[in-house]
Amino acid sequence: MSAIIESREAPDYDLHDLLAYEQFDRAPASENASSENDLEELEREIDQTLAADSDLPAITPLSADLPAVPKFDYRLLPSDLSDWVRDIAERVHCPPDFVAVTAMSAIASLLGRRAAIHPKRHDDWLVICNLWGSLIGRPSAMKTPAMNEGLRPIKQLIISARKRYEEDRREYQADEVMDKLKEELAKAAIKNALKSGDPTQIESARSDYARSQEQPQPVTEKRYIVNDPTTEKLGELLNENPAGLLLERDELTGWLRSLDREDRSNDRAFYLECFNGDGSYTYDRIGRGTVHISNLTLSVIGGIQPSKLRPYVHSAISQGTGDDGLIQRLQLAVWPDDPGAWNNVDRWPDADAKERAFTLFQRLDAFPLLEPDEEGRIAGVHFDDEGQEIFDQWRHELESKIRQPDIHPAIEAHLTKYRSLMPSLALILNECNIGHLKPVTAASARKAAAWCAYLEQHAYRIYGASIDSETQNAITILERRGKLPDEFTARDVHRKGWTGLSNADEVRAAISELMTTGHVIETRVQSEGGGRPSFSYSWNPNLQDADNGKI
């Protein structure tokens, strides 16, 4: 395991002795069994005991312990959100982390280019507070219900915006009818003026017709969320909504897979450009012509299962096609512990907490867009004096950490994105708690630093399994052993192309782990010509089906 990610020590006991003791302890209860099933069970226990006493190696369970992550602290949230998030987490029975990250990503998309921050006192370095988040958990972790609840305030804004759009569209259609009638009257006036030959009348009719050709500005629907747009359409929507948008995907896997396609390589580059939030983009298409996107501001939120994320993390850390920083841009990536045993909570939502949260979203949505200067740049706020000291100290510690010689490159690449994450979070918290475009206070800076410390622990968990992958790869082979011959070789495993087992070194390391834990037995086959021996592997006969939970 990397020095950055510490593994847990295995329990100090002999599993073989423990199993033998349990079998011995159960035997007397079976001696008096009268039914045929009890006799069969006793025979199986005897067979297992005899097998355990043979020369076969003892089997040690494989365990890929995840690095620990802290419980979510509700004090990290804006004051108007903490009770609301707590209420949702309790009613839905989901980790509060999921709701909190969803809400923070939604707020980031609302603020977008309505607020910005200069993290340094004098430098013109500018940070836009768009955020990319991901909710990582098993299918039963309630990711989708948590995300749906966390997005309810912004979806309420969507409903209101759609109603306004329908009203404006009806007004626009009425104006179009009026304009057409004015154009017809203007044409008729020109004909009459030409017949009269009066130059003054002709010029007046000409001016009236020119005014009739002025088209009203088309109405557009104010958008907040997109789900599966093409990059060309997304560019148009960003031009129509310059504050920014939120890309919502129930399963991020579909989005990531679409970006893996060779014919979508330009899409991947486009989304990478969206991350900073302060750039522009121009694309040229034969059908659409040239489209210039002035404000490339996009936040992201979605859920993903650990097994689906692992190939992308593995590709990112092994210098594969995914080693372009896309995964590291998921700054608000959380993989919390399961909430535990199911507890049915059936109560009404906290109305006061909900009202405060929804009102906060409405207030942020009303903030005006920052106007650019002559160079096309927008001006941001700064930290106050105490807040600046906190940021400078935090930045010093971050830069020292990512320059350590033993840090894994994947962790280093991830933490470098925190340079903008901390001031982004500080700005969001300040906009929610203090006011619009106010100097960012020490309290906001401290909370943002605490957010980064919390998210860093989740990053260690996310990258940990892939950085120290021998055990995880061994578990992969064990779980899929039914797809291998009874006696297999390293080549047989390699040909399967399983994630984490794409080269010979990874396969050898995983098989070595299986041998060390007694799951497989190695057979050495000496070649007839006296050359290098070959090796094959078979499963320990004591190995039970994984379905019954015994290995």
Side-chain angles (χ1 to χ4, degrees), residues 252-469:
L252 282 174
T253 310
W255 179 59
L256 294 172
R257 284 178 178 168
S258 70
L259 299 182
D260 286 342
R261 290 166 42 185
E262 292 185 6
D263 61 337
R264 299 285 295 273
S265 58
N266 290 334
D267 292 5
R268 192 179 185 97
F270 176 85
Y271 281 108
L272 290 172
E273 292 284 344
C274 288
F275 174 75
N276 288 332
D278 61 349
S280 60
Y281 197 88
T282 301
Y283 59 78
D284 302 288
R285 299 291 185 271
I286 293 177
R288 294 176 180 266
T290 298
V291 178
H292 179 69
I293 308 167
S294 301
N295 302 323
L296 208 61
T297 308
L298 183 72
S299 293
V300 177
I301 187 64
I304 193 167
Q305 298 175 32
S307 61
K308 304 295 185 182
L309 178 64
R310 187 175 174 234
Y312 294 97
V313 175
H314 184 267
S315 179
I317 71 175
S318 58
Q319 298 182 339
T321 56
D323 187 22
D324 57 3
L326 180 66
I327 292 299
Q328 285 87 352
R329 280 166 166 77
L330 296 171
Q331 301 167 312
L332 265 64
V334 290
W335 186 356
D337 294 329
D338 290 336
W342 170 257
N343 179 29
N344 185 42
V345 177
D346 187 3
R347 67 168 188 247
W348 292 107
D350 186 330
D352 291 338
K354 179 181 176 181
E355 178 66 22
R356 291 196 301 272
F358 279 51
T359 300
L360 173 63
F361 275 74
Q362 294 166 4
R363 177 164 58 86
L364 298 177
D365 185 44
F367 290 161
L369 194 68
L370 294 177
E371 294 295 333
D373 59 18
E374 295 179 354
E375 298 180 359
R377 291 178 56 85
I378 58 178
V381 300
H382 288 80
F383 289 101
D384 65 17
D385 290 341
E386 190 177 354
Q388 188 69 57
E389 291 180 3
I390 293 172
F391 173 77
D392 290 344
Q393 180 182 354
W394 174 88
R395 175 79 185 276
H396 176 78
E397 293 173 357
L398 174 70
E399 298 295 340
S400 299
K401 182 183 300 181
I402 62 179
R403 285 167 171 75
Q404 293 177 4
D406 60 344
I407 190 172
H408 192 281
I411 297 295
E412 178 185 355
H414 189 90
L415 294 183
T416 57
K417 306 301 180 187
Y418 283 24
R419 291 168 177 156
S420 63
L421 175 62
M422 191 278 197
S424 293
L425 290 168
L427 177 60
I428 290 173
L429 292 163
N430 211 72
E431 291 288 304
C432 293
N433 291 336
I434 305 301
H436 187 42
L437 300 182
K438 302 292 185 182
V440 178
T441 65
S444 298
R446 288 193 187 95
K447 277 191 176 183
W451 261 104
C452 291
Y454 156 80
L455 292 168
E456 184 178 342
Q457 298 304 312
H458 283 267
Y460 293 154
R461 168 171 286 191
I462 293 165
Y463 291 97
S466 294
I467 290 175
D468 186 32
S469 58

Side-chain angles (χ1 to χ4, degrees), residues 57 488 511-512 514-522 537-540:
F488 62 94
I511 292 178
S512 176
L514 289 169
M515 291 172 55
T516 301
T517 55
H519 288 83
V520 300
I521 300 169
E522 182 182 72
Y537 306 92
S538 58
W539 295 104
N540 189 329

